[in-house]
Amino acid sequence: IGPSSAATTAIRDFLVRHGLRAVKSYYRARDISAWINEALQQGKPALHFLDEYDAYTDFLYPFFSRIAWCSEGCESHNENVTKKVHHYLHLVSTLMWHYPYSKFIFNTRTDVARWLASQMFNCWPSIDAKLNWTAWLNKHEECCNPSWGDLGNIVCC
């Protein structure tokens, strides 16, 4: 139930090698969490549309866009992280309630700054965000601070 880029593919592959039917992220070209939400909206068990599988990875992702990605004009892609975390916790609780005998693996990364950097598009190649996350954040603030307006700091473009 942990985030992307925290060994979700390795976990899925391990489960498949040991005879479980596992799916990662998408089922029939649609995000697994969307299937879960649809089932719940219809009053069905959470995994109703996905019951052909034994294991599910990389589908509960609370931090997809936790900071504005750099883009032309510093367009913001921020979302309400608090709302996403509450939805994530609600889905985990719902799965625990619907499937009380299930086992959950909470996979994480020990170096959070390096993991966050791996999740971001780096529009400043001179800064290795994985090695210097603080410098990347400072550059982002310098170039994309809302005080610069919708186009960002034109010196950075």
Side-chain angles (χ1 to χ4, degrees):
I1 58 173
S4 286
S5 300
T8 53
T9 301
I11 291 169
R12 190 249 350 248
D13 292 349
F14 173 84
L15 296 170
V16 168
R17 280 194 309 274
H18 287 83
L20 294 173
R21 298 165 298 164
V23 62
K24 179 181 186 268
S25 303
Y26 295 92
Y27 171 71
R28 295 186 181 172
R30 191 170 172 206
D31 187 74
I32 290 172
S33 62
W35 288 108
I36 293 170
N37 289 327
E38 183 176 335
L40 295 172
Q41 288 172 356
Q42 293 181 18
K44 297 178 179 176
L47 300 174
H48 172 80
F49 297 112
L50 305 158
D51 64 358
E52 67 189 78
Y53 294 100
D54 304 307
Y56 312 84
T57 68
D58 203 7
F59 67 95
L60 294 171
Y61 196 63
F63 304 115
F64 182 68
S65 56
R66 63 214 149 270
I67 189 170
W69 300 336
C70 44
S71 60
E72 186 175 341
C74 294
E75 178 185 345
S76 176
H77 294 278
N78 277 335
E79 296 179 25
N80 183 329
V81 173
T82 302
K83 183 178 177 182
K84 291 188 82 159
V85 169
H86 285 298
H87 181 69
Y88 164 81
L89 293 173
H90 173 73
L91 273 181
V92 171
S93 297
T94 300
L95 289 168
M96 288 171 56
W97 185 79
H98 280 254
Y99 306 95
Y101 299 105
S102 294
K103 303 295 182 225
F104 294 87
I105 299 171
F106 183 63
N107 45 312
T108 63
R109 291 284 186 191
T110 54
D111 188 341
V112 174
R114 204 169 152 86
W115 173 77
L116 282 172
S118 75
Q119 302 300 297
M120 309 309 296
F121 173 75
N122 188 2
C123 53
W124 301 291
S126 62
I127 302 172
D128 186 338
K130 288 183 181 181
L131 296 177
N132 197 343
W133 178 243
T134 302
W136 191 94
L137 284 174
N138 290 338
K139 186 68 169 181
H140 181 271
E141 182 67 17
E142 173 190 332
C143 295
C144 297
N145 186 301
S147 66
W148 290 109
D150 292 339
L151 298 178
N153 183 347
I154 59 170
V155 173
C156 294
C157 298

